[in-house]
Amino acid sequence: MNLIAANWKMNKTVKEALKFFNDLNSKTDEFADNEVLICPSFLALSEISKIKHEKIKLGAQNFYFEDSGAYTGETSLLILKGFCEYVLVGHSERRSIFKEPNQLVNKKVLAALNHHFKPILCIGETGDERQKNKTNEVLSQQLKACLKGVSENQIKNLVVAYEPVWAIGTGKNATSAMAQEVHEFIREVLTDMYSQTTARQLKLLYGGSVKPDNAKDLIAQEDINGFLIGGASLEVESFVEIINAAK
Ligand code: 13P
C-alpha cells in the first residue's frame, strides 16, 4: 500500500480546511487502496480531528522535542497526542527558513518515536549540491545524522521522504528515473545502517512538484512507495487524481 500525504504548509484558513476535508471525506469510496494522510495547520488539525475520518489519517507539520516548558510559540508532542498519528520532521523549509540543523531534526525524530508518533523524515539536496555531484553524500549525511540512536525496532515506524529542494514548488519534478536512482541509494544506506529486511519494509516517499500528470510514472518505480505533496494537495480534485494514479 502506498502512502499519499498532503503537506498543506501555511495554507487554508480553518474554514477552508474543514470544507476540503469534508469534501475529501465524502469521496473515500472512490479512493484507490492507498493510505491517505493530511497534514494541516495546527488549528485546522484540531478542528478536523473532531470529524469522523476512517480512511484519512492526520499529521502535524511541526513540533518541538521537549514535552513542555518555556518555549514560546512551540507545540509539543504531548499537546499533539490524540490529534494525529504522523508528524513531519526535517522539511527543507524548516531547515532553510527556520535554520533547523540535522542535530535538532534527530532530537525531534527520537522524541516522535518515543511518543509513538510516526515521523516522516524529509531529506533532500539543493540544486547546487546536485550540480556538484554531491547528492548521495548529502543524503547519506542527513540520514546518518537524523537517525542517530534510532533502533532497528523503532525505524519500522518511520517513513523517509526524499524531497529534492530544487523540485519543491518549482514545477520541476525529478524524473522518475532520477527519483528511482536516489530512492535505491537511500534504501542501500538504510540497509547498511539496519538490515536488508528492514530497509525493504520502509516506505520511501517522493516529494517535489508531484502532479496528477507525473504521479503515475513516479509511483511505477520500484523504490517509490508514495508521495509528499504540497501545491497539488490543496485542491480536492488534483489530490484525488494523485491518490488514484498511485495504485
Ligand atoms: P510541492 O508539491 O508544492 O512541490 O511541495 C512539495 C513539498 O514540499 C511537500 O512537503
Side-chain angles (χ1 to χ4, degrees):
M1 200 187 281
N2 294 310
L3 171 59
I4 312 302
N7 174 12
W8 283 352
K9 309 189 180 181
M10 200 173 70
N11 292 297
K12 293 193 189 295
T13 61
V14 173
K15 202 170 153 194
E16 288 164 349
L18 282 169
K19 180 172 182 333
F20 180 111
F21 195 82
N22 282 317
D23 277 4
L24 189 73
N25 214 11
S26 69
K27 292 186 194 313
T28 54
D29 285 350
E30 302 165 25
F31 287 5
D33 199 14
N34 284 321
E35 193 178 355
V36 174
L37 168 68
I38 304 277
C39 303
S41 69
F42 287 135
L43 286 178
L45 174 64
S46 162
E47 290 304 309
I48 287 174
S49 69
K50 294 175 190 158
I51 302 170
K52 194 165 174 241
H53 56 279
E54 280 163 4
K55 288 200 177 162
I56 305 173
K57 298 200 168 153
L58 295 176
Q61 296 174 21
N62 186 36
F63 60 94
Y64 194 57
F65 65 88
E66 296 284 3
D67 283 350
S68 59
Y71 304 101
T72 302
E74 293 299 306
T75 298
S76 73
L77 294 160
L78 274 191
I79 296 172
L80 284 172
K81 215 159 248 183
F83 288 95
C84 62
E85 185 178 336
Y86 283 89
V87 284
L88 302 184
V89 194
H91 191 280
S92 75
E93 287 147 19
R94 302 282 335 157
R95 291 176 188 266
S96 66
I97 305 170
F98 302 101
K99 310 288 175 233
E100 293 193 7
N102 282 331
Q103 294 93 314
L104 177 58
V105 176
N106 178 234
K107 284 185 177 159
K108 289 184 167 198
V109 165
L110 289 169
L113 290 166
N114 288 335
H115 278 286
H116 306 290
F117 284 85
K118 294 179 180 166
I120 300 184
L121 169 64
C122 307
I123 56 171
E125 82 287 3
T126 62
D128 190 45
E129 286 161 347
R130 176 163 279 267
Q131 269 186 351
K132 289 181 179 149
N133 271 328
K134 286 192 166 167
T135 301
N136 287 2
E137 189 188 324
V138 169
L139 296 176
S140 159
Q141 271 170 6
Q142 287 178 339
L143 282 169
K144 286 185 180 136
C146 298
L147 294 175
K148 204 168 163 199
V150 174
S151 70
E152 180 149 8
N153 208 24
Q154 285 179 312
I155 191 89
K156 291 173 185 159
N157 291 315
L158 181 138
V159 173
V160 176
Y162 167 56
E163 297 207 313
V165 180
W166 50 269
I168 296 177
T170 58
K172 282 190 257 166
N173 64 289
T175 64
S176 46
M178 271 159 95
Q180 167 57 25
E181 194 183 331
V182 172
H183 280 225
E184 199 178 326
F185 173 75
I186 292 170
R187 232 185 268 285
E188 274 167 26
V189 175
L190 292 168
T191 300
D192 285 349
M193 291 176 72
Y194 298 96
S195 67
Q196 195 176 54
T197 319
T198 297
R200 273 198 188 143
Q201 284 167 1
L202 294 187
K203 280 201 168 90
L204 306 184
L205 312 186
Y206 168 78
S209 297
V210 175
K211 304 277 179 249
D213 59 2
N214 58 28
K216 241 194 166 80
D217 271 358
L218 285 161
I219 206 70
Q221 305 302 310
E222 193 181 337
D223 290 297
I224 300 183
N225 314 113
F227 299 127
L228 184 54
I229 311 155
S233 74
L234 294 172
E235 300 291 336
V236 174
E237 201 183 338
S238 50
F239 187 54
V240 171
E241 272 186 66
I242 296 173
I243 295 169
N244 289 335
K247 276 185 207 152

